Amino acid sequence: MPPGGPRMSESFGRLQDAISLSNDGLVDEPQPSGATGARSYPYHHPVMAGVTTSLDAFGVLGATILCTHVEPTILMGNGHVALPLADLMSALGFLMIPKKRSLLYIPNILHISAQVRYLTPPLVMGALLHFVVLYMLHRPTAQIIALSLVWLGICAATLCVLRGGEILILQHPSATRHLARNIAVIGSDEVATKVAARVAEEAGPTYRMIGVFDDHDTALDSTVTDGTLDDLIARSRESRLHAIILAIPPSSDPVDHVAEISWRLRSVLSDVYVMPNVVHGIDVLLPIERLGPFALLVLQRRPLSEWQIVRKTMLDVVLGATALAMLAPLMGLIAIAIKMTSPGPVFFRQPRLGYNNRNFMVFKFRSMYANMSDVMAARQTSRDDPRVTRIGKWLRRLSLDELPQLLNVLRGEMSLVGPRPHAPHTRADGMLLDDALAEYVIRHQVKPGITGWAQVNGARGELVTLDDLRRRVEFDLEYMQKWSLRFDLKILALTVLREVFSKHAF
């Protein structure tokens, strides 16, 4: 048995299985007689899984409400208080029964047999609960059977309509293109090109191969690769990149080689996988995931999954629009006060570095004299800064100058909660922020926020020393690791309680 006991032995076994699966994917096997080409590998798209389960929930709840109106009609107006209770218990039974998540994989959603296997058990369980509740309340047996079948029929018909509409949408070419997962391969030898070829040819429409990129500073063979690692990093800023596969040749020190590449990819918003035959030792403890025709070791995850991003965006849109509507009168008064006290525009627009290292224009109420505004933030605002107007001092002290950033939230450039964005020329201890601290760029893997975990913990204001920057980044990375909707709501509440009259605001 390998050192480390049963757990390490199990990890070695999983690693050997992964290596076997990956190596099988690199072996040129003859196609069986009658084969037609590409295979379709399961792909669990988090957003589609969430959308499908949400549609099921709303469909069953809507069907249950409909049942409460239909069932008394079947009983010739002889309704009973037990009917809504039985309907509710049936709906809860449908929602709570465990379901096989693999049947939510694309393209399983497109297969009727998979739909039946997924929906039949919870529907039957709901109908049985309906029968049991009415039986315990001593309803006549004939009525119990009829009412249970009515609930089952209405729910099944509703789900058929919803799933049918979903299938029609998923089969549309534009939906396929939008849901496809973009994959890049890093490597420079035959293994990398074979991995890319297998994904491109066999993984079906759920994956899209964007190229092979050399892990060297200069491409060894520009006819085989699509660029270098730096080219891949630059390309990730322009288009979505969901997965990167490290298919580099095994070296004398593979752990250091993989660690070096992983560190260079720290700012790239993508999941990073490594071929299991590249690494060894403690790396066998890394999670193993199937990606198209390969089993790979998970080296790095994006901080938020697609479904988590959808949930966070929904919170931003709902609360952001509500806050903007409620604060519109106050914002109007602030605009009038700014125009009356100093010449110049009401809003101050400044470039900031945001999500996935992309620049955007942030909106703020102008708090400085127009002829003294520092658009590129070559000089940070300090306490008792002479450039700040009289009304601007109060706006900054009460953090009201940040209110126009609700527009950035609704435009999708910012979130209500996240790391605060900085101007590209902002410095700490005389150095640009990404030069001063290597971990700084990791903050850009989530949308910047109007407020954040660092701000409610007092890490705000002018960045003077490297310790100021390091403390702020530590809070930002902690937020990314602990993210949840509840955590966002907690930070919003703490912002109101702690930061409106913060001693750090100026």
Side-chain angles (χ1 to χ4, degrees):
M1 179 179 294
R7 181 179 178 184
M8 186 64 75
S9 177
E10 179 184 354
S11 297
F12 272 106
R14 291 167 58 246
L15 178 63
Q16 293 302 320
D17 291 342
I19 293 175
S20 176
L21 284 169
S22 294
N23 287 339
D24 288 345
L26 297 175
V27 175
D28 294 325
E29 298 176 351
Q31 291 287 338
S33 177
T36 57
R39 295 169 57 190
S40 187
Y41 289 90
Y43 170 34
H44 179 63
H45 195 288
V47 174
M48 283 311 306
V51 169
T52 300
T53 53
S54 298
L55 282 176
D56 290 343
F58 284 116
V60 168
L61 291 175
T64 299
I65 293 173
L66 179 61
C67 286
T68 60
H69 294 84
V70 172
E71 289 167 337
T73 304
I74 295 176
L75 297 178
M76 305 299 292
N78 185 22
H80 193 277
V81 70
L83 294 180
L85 176 62
D87 294 333
L88 178 61
M89 292 300 296
S90 299
L92 291 176
F94 176 91
L95 297 175
M96 295 179 66
I97 185 174
K99 304 174 182 66
K100 193 172 182 180
R101 292 187 62 83
S102 63
L103 295 178
L104 289 177
Y105 288 0
I106 300 174
N108 282 344
I109 294 176
L110 303 177
H111 288 84
I112 295 178
S113 60
Q115 302 270 13
V116 172
R117 292 198 306 274
Y118 182 85
L119 294 174
T120 297
L123 283 173
V124 172
M125 177 59 70
L128 289 175
L129 282 174
H130 200 281
F131 183 94
V132 170
V133 170
L134 293 179
Y135 181 80
M136 292 177 64
L137 294 173
H138 306 292
R139 298 292 296 178
T141 302
Q143 287 187 3
I144 294 176
I145 295 174
L147 294 171
S148 298
L149 290 176
V150 167
W151 182 89
L152 179 63
I154 292 178
C155 287
T158 302
L159 292 174
C160 285
V161 172
L162 291 176
R163 290 296 186 98
E166 185 180 22
I167 289 174
L168 290 176
I169 293 174
L170 288 177
Q171 288 179 331
H172 196 277
S174 61
T176 302
R177 288 194 300 271
H178 184 75
L179 293 175
R181 197 173 189 188
N182 294 327
I183 300 177
V185 174
I186 293 178
S188 57
D189 65 350
E190 187 181 10
V191 172
T193 56
K194 282 190 174 182
V195 168
R198 291 294 298 259
V199 173
E201 295 172 4
E202 298 185 11
T206 54
Y207 298 92
R208 183 188 299 113
M209 177 55 58
I210 67 169
V212 178
F213 296 84
D214 203 321
D215 56 306
H216 300 82
D217 292 333
T218 304
L220 299 179
D221 187 351
S222 58
T223 63
V224 174
T225 62
D226 297 276
T228 64
L229 190 56
D230 290 334
D231 295 325
L232 174 61
I233 294 172
R235 185 164 179 174
S236 71
R237 305 284 184 264
E238 303 170 359
S239 57
R240 292 188 305 168
L241 185 59
H242 298 89
I244 298 174
I245 301 175
L246 272 59
I248 57 179
S251 63
S252 58
D253 198 350
V255 174
D256 286 346
H257 192 187
V258 170
E260 178 189 356
I261 295 175
S262 178
W263 182 246
R264 292 178 64 184
L265 294 173
R266 69 189 183 280
S267 65
V268 176
L269 186 61
S270 172
D271 295 333
V272 180
Y273 302 89
V274 60
M275 298 291 289
N277 58 328
V278 173
V279 294
H280 54 77
I282 195 170
D283 295 284
V284 301
L285 298 176
L286 293 172
I288 295 175
E289 183 174 312
R290 188 73 184 244
L291 190 69
F294 301 106
L296 305 168
L297 296 175
V298 181
L299 196 63
Q300 172 183 306
R301 288 282 193 200
R302 286 169 291 175
L304 299 182
S305 68
E306 287 97 335
W307 182 236
Q308 288 175 322
I309 292 173
V310 169
R311 292 163 57 200
K312 184 172 176 62
T313 302
M314 292 173 62
L315 179 70
D316 288 337
V317 171
V318 172
L319 293 187
T322 302
L324 187 61
M326 294 177 62
L327 295 172
L330 173 61
M331 294 174 68
L333 293 175
I334 292 174
I336 294 173
I338 292 173
K339 290 296 287 185
M340 291 180 62
T341 55
S342 64
V346 170
F347 293 113
F348 173 66
R349 299 175 69 223
Q350 186 181 56
R352 296 287 176 96
L353 205 56
Y355 185 56
N356 201 18
N357 289 276
R358 296 173 183 168
N359 285 317
F360 72 100
M361 299 299 293
V362 71
F363 295 100
K364 299 182 70 174
F365 280 125
R366 180 174 59 83
S367 60
M368 293 185 177
Y369 293 103
N371 61 338
M372 297 183 181
S373 297
D374 184 6
V375 175
M376 300 308 295
R379 171 187 170 189
Q380 295 186 63
T381 308
S382 59
R383 196 176 296 276
D384 299 322
D385 196 314
R387 299 174 296 169
V388 178
T389 65
R390 286 180 300 169
I391 188 67
K393 290 180 180 179
W394 286 101
L395 292 178
R396 298 177 73 92
R397 183 170 299 174
L398 299 175
S399 298
L400 296 177
D401 61 321
E402 311 286 356
L403 291 181
Q405 290 169 35
L406 290 170
L407 298 174
N408 290 112
V409 172
L410 296 181
R411 285 159 58 106
E413 299 163 334
M414 293 181 65
S415 176
L416 293 175
V417 181
R420 285 293 298 161
H422 296 112
H425 291 179
T426 305
R427 297 174 181 268
D429 202 19
M431 294 182 287
L432 294 175
L433 301 185
D434 53 351
D435 293 331
L437 190 65
E439 292 85 355
Y440 176 80
V441 295
I442 302 176
R443 308 164 73 251
H444 301 310
Q445 294 189 10
V446 296
K447 284 184 181 180
I450 297 178
T451 185
W453 186 232
Q455 282 64 44
V456 299
N457 283 283
R460 57 172 294 181
E462 187 179 9
L463 289 171
V464 179
T465 67
L466 289 181
D467 286 338
D468 294 336
L469 176 62
R470 188 175 292 108
R471 182 167 180 260
R472 194 168 302 188
V473 170
E474 286 175 356
F475 279 119
D476 291 336
L477 299 184
E478 180 185 356
Y479 165 76
M480 292 164 62
Q481 294 170 355
K482 295 170 57 178
W483 181 86
S484 67
L485 290 180
R486 181 179 298 180
F487 195 26
D488 270 7
L489 293 173
K490 174 183 176 180
I491 292 173
L492 289 172
L494 290 175
T495 298
V496 176
L497 295 175
R498 295 181 183 177
E499 296 305 308
V500 172
F501 295 97
S502 171
K503 63 181 179 180
H504 298 282
F506 49 83

